[in-house]
């Protein structure tokens, strides 16, 4: 992690040393203007899901790049972010490496816009510059995500492919941010300060609307959690089942050293893992005898129903995978997608263990709860076939069942 961090710092410094700073020194008033509005915009943030944030300062930074070049935009970005970091009380070192990655992104995007395709300040080249600016924006966004996810992967226990699985919210935020930046650059270069402020006022109105939409989706989210509680309440045999699964899933994730943001997300995924049962009729869900083959086909649809429900409601990627795949098996004989081994999302592997343990621990219409000793035996028998063999020892420790291991497993 520290090697990656130092590499980004050195790269940003070397780029800064070789940069052309003349556009900055010749445009001090615009620099002050952009820095002020960038800093204000940094505090205008919207949660777009998956612990991801969309901030309006990204649009201002891109507008600065298209108006005066990468050195000017990097200086605006650096000064604005330093003010934001200090005022918001964030950890300076951890955020500074992201700032360094952002500076690299400005210069790579400028290489595309100004050097490769000869774009003009303020999109003065017309339609051609608009197309080039779109390409530069995509390049800048790609560099930003690759750098950020590389840093996060080296900083913790999150695998980089899991991080890239969270790209959907950013893909949705990409078009408006960079389109706003392009429009802002064109207005500033061609119409000056006043019209730029008018444009920013309109942008603020859009921000307020998006915030209200976020509150709407938060309300929907709360309704989904309430629905999950209702599903448990439908069956007296499984009351509190999802809560107990969620608590144990969080404890396992904590033992694995996963980041705090993942701990909460895994807990919530555990609460919602059976949300798809809302689409299973009571005659099957509450049947007091074993299900027949046809009924099992229907019952096995509940992970798919749950994942699709959360996807429609714009829940983060990890939630969907945790719910869809919590009945997959390590040996590939599970459902609904017959995934095997580490193809199964880590959250789903954790929840699969917790779900099985809690199911064995509860009375059902067709059987009594298993004893702790027998439940432990079933978990151990499933090690490497049904369950991730690396998670089983951690899970048994969390379940408080390590004292009930057979002698050969001690």
């Amino acid at each position: 992690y520290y090697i990656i961090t130092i590499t980004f710092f050195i790269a940003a410094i070397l780029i800064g040393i070789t940069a052309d700073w003349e556009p900055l020194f010749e445009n001090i008033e615009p620099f002050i203007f952009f820095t002020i509005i960038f800093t204000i915009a940094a505090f205008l943030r919207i949660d777009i899901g998956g612990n991801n944030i969309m901030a309006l300062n990204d649009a201002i930074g891109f507008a600065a790049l298209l108006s005066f070049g990468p050195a000017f935009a990097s200086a605006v970005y650096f000064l604005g972010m330093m003010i934001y970091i200090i005022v918001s009380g964030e950890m300076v070192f951890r955020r500074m490496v992201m700032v360094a990655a952002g500076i690299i992104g400005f210069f790579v995007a400028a290489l595309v816009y100004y050097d490769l395709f000869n774009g003009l300040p303020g999109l003065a080249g017309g339609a051609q510059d608009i197309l080039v600016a779109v390409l530069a924006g995509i390049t800048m966004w790609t560099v930003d995500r690759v750098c950020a996810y590389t840093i996060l992967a080296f900083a913790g226990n999150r695998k980089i492919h899991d991080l890239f699985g969270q790209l959907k919210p950013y893909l949705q935020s990409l078009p408006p941010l960079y389109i706003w930046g392009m429009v802002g650059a064109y207005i500033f270069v061609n119409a000056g300060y006043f019209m730029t402020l008018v444009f920013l006022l309109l942008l603020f109105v859009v921000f307020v609307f998006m915030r209200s939409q976020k509150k709407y989706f938060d309300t929907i989210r709360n309704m989904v959690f309430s629905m999950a509680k209702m599903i448990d309440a439908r069956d007296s045999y499984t009351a509190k089942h999802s809560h107990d699964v969620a608590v144990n899933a969080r404890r396992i994730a904590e033992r694995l050293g996963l980041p705090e943001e993942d701990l909460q997300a895994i807990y919530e995924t555990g609460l919602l893992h059976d949300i798809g049962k809302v689409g299973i009729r009571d005659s099957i869900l509450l049947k007091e005898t074993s299900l027949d083959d046809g009924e099992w086909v229907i019952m096995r649809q509940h992970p798919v129903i749950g994942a699709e429900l959360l996807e429609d409601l714009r829940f983060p990627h990890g939630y969907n995978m945790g719910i869809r795949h919590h009945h997959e098996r390590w040996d590939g004989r599970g459902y609904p997608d017959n995934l095997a081994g580490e193809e199964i999302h880590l959250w789903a592997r954790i929840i699969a263990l917790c779900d099985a343990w809690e199911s064995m621990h509860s009375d059902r219409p067709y059987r009594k709860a298993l004893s702790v000793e027998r439940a432990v035996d079933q978990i151990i028998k499933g090690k490497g076939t049904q369950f991730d063999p690396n998670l089983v020892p951690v899970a048994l420790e969390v379940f408080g069942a390590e004292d009930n291991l057979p002698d050969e497993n001690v």
Side-chain angles (χ1 to χ4, degrees):
Y1 167 69
Y2 290 105
I3 292 174
I4 291 292
T5 298
I6 293 170
T7 300
F8 277 110
F9 279 136
I10 293 174
I13 291 170
L14 290 176
I15 290 173
I17 291 173
T18 58
D20 177 14
W21 293 95
E22 189 174 338
L24 171 60
F25 298 126
E26 291 180 349
N27 297 280
I28 296 300
E29 287 186 4
F31 172 72
I32 295 172
F33 175 76
F34 270 95
T35 301
I36 291 172
I37 60 175
F38 179 95
T39 305
I40 294 172
F43 290 92
L44 302 178
R45 300 177 154 237
I46 302 173
D47 183 351
I48 56 176
N51 301 302
N52 299 312
I53 299 294
M54 182 178 77
L56 296 186
N57 60 317
D58 289 341
I60 307 301
F62 193 53
L65 172 69
L66 296 178
S67 299
F68 295 101
F72 181 97
S74 295
V76 168
Y77 177 74
F78 178 80
L79 184 56
M81 286 306 298
M82 286 303 299
I83 295 171
Y84 170 78
I85 292 169
I86 293 170
V87 172
S88 60
E90 295 191 5
M91 293 182 63
V92 175
F93 179 79
R94 183 171 294 181
R95 287 291 295 177
M96 280 301 297
V97 66
M98 294 298 187
V99 171
I103 290 173
I104 294 171
F106 278 115
F107 280 92
V108 174
L111 182 67
V112 172
Y113 184 77
Y114 290 105
D115 297 332
L116 292 182
F117 294 98
N118 300 312
L120 299 175
L123 288 79
Q128 179 179 338
D129 278 1
I130 293 175
L131 293 176
V132 175
V134 170
L135 181 59
I138 294 172
T139 301
M140 184 172 171
W141 178 85
T142 302
V143 171
D144 175 75
R145 288 299 89 206
V146 170
C147 290
Y149 290 165
T150 300
I151 293 166
L152 290 172
F154 278 91
N157 294 298
R158 303 172 72 183
K159 294 184 178 180
I160 196 163
H161 62 78
D162 287 338
L163 289 164
F164 276 98
Q166 299 177 2
L167 279 176
K168 185 176 179 181
Y170 278 110
L171 287 171
Q172 294 171 338
S173 69
L174 172 65
L177 279 178
Y178 289 105
I179 290 172
W180 295 339
M182 291 162 59
V183 173
Y186 180 84
I187 292 174
F188 182 82
V189 171
N190 293 279
Y193 292 100
F194 177 75
M195 291 306 298
T196 302
L197 288 173
V198 172
F199 167 70
L200 292 173
L201 180 61
L202 293 175
L203 194 58
F204 179 74
V205 172
V206 172
F207 169 80
V208 171
F209 171 76
M210 293 180 69
R211 283 288 293 267
S212 65
Q213 288 290 97
K214 174 62 173 57
K215 291 180 179 178
Y216 167 75
F217 282 110
D218 284 345
T219 302
I220 296 294
R221 176 189 176 91
N222 292 333
M223 290 175 61
V224 171
F225 283 105
S226 297
M227 192 186 303
K229 292 180 181 179
M230 291 172 61
I231 290 172
D232 275 357
R234 286 168 73 187
D235 184 356
S236 61
Y237 288 95
T238 61
K240 290 186 62 182
H241 169 77
S242 294
H243 172 266
D244 293 339
V245 169
V247 169
N248 281 330
R250 180 186 174 97
R251 288 173 178 167
I252 292 174
E254 191 170 12
R255 296 289 179 95
L256 296 175
L258 298 188
E260 177 61 35
E261 60 197 41
D262 281 1
L263 300 184
Q264 181 61 23
I266 290 173
Y267 172 77
E268 293 180 351
T269 305
L271 290 176
L272 299 174
H273 76 281
D274 277 340
I275 189 71
K277 288 182 178 178
V278 70
I280 306 299
R281 61 181 182 268
D282 285 352
S283 61
I284 294 177
L285 187 63
L286 306 180
K287 188 176 180 181
E288 294 190 359
T289 57
S290 298
L291 302 181
D292 61 35
D293 291 344
E295 291 167 335
W296 266 118
V297 170
I298 297 173
M299 177 64 84
R300 286 175 176 170
Q301 290 301 307
H302 81 267
V304 177
I305 296 170
E308 290 178 350
L309 172 63
L310 294 201
E311 185 174 7
D312 290 342
L313 295 174
R314 293 170 53 183
F315 271 70
H317 176 76
Y319 289 69
N320 302 341
M321 294 300 96
I323 290 169
R324 183 181 181 93
H325 296 142
H326 76 276
H327 282 296
E328 299 288 357
R329 290 171 54 107
W330 184 258
D331 60 11
R333 297 170 58 195
Y335 62 91
D337 298 318
N338 302 118
L339 301 182
E342 293 192 357
E343 292 178 337
I344 307 167
H345 196 283
L346 175 60
W347 298 5
R349 284 180 268 149
I350 293 172
I351 291 170
L353 267 164
C354 299
D355 187 34
W357 178 259
E358 292 302 327
S359 295
M360 288 187 282
H361 256 64
S362 62
D363 290 331
R364 296 301 170 92
Y366 49 88
R367 65 154 174 83
K368 290 293 185 180
L370 302 185
S371 66
V372 173
E373 292 80 6
R374 191 174 174 194
V376 169
D377 184 57
Q378 291 298 313
I379 295 291
I380 292 173
K381 284 181 179 179
K383 183 178 179 180
T385 54
Q386 183 175 354
F387 308 118
D388 182 340
N390 298 313
L391 293 180
V392 167
V394 181
L396 290 175
E397 185 179 346
V398 166
F399 300 155
E402 66 272 21
D403 293 337
N404 294 281
L405 292 174
D407 292 340
E408 63 269 22
N409 289 283
V410 175

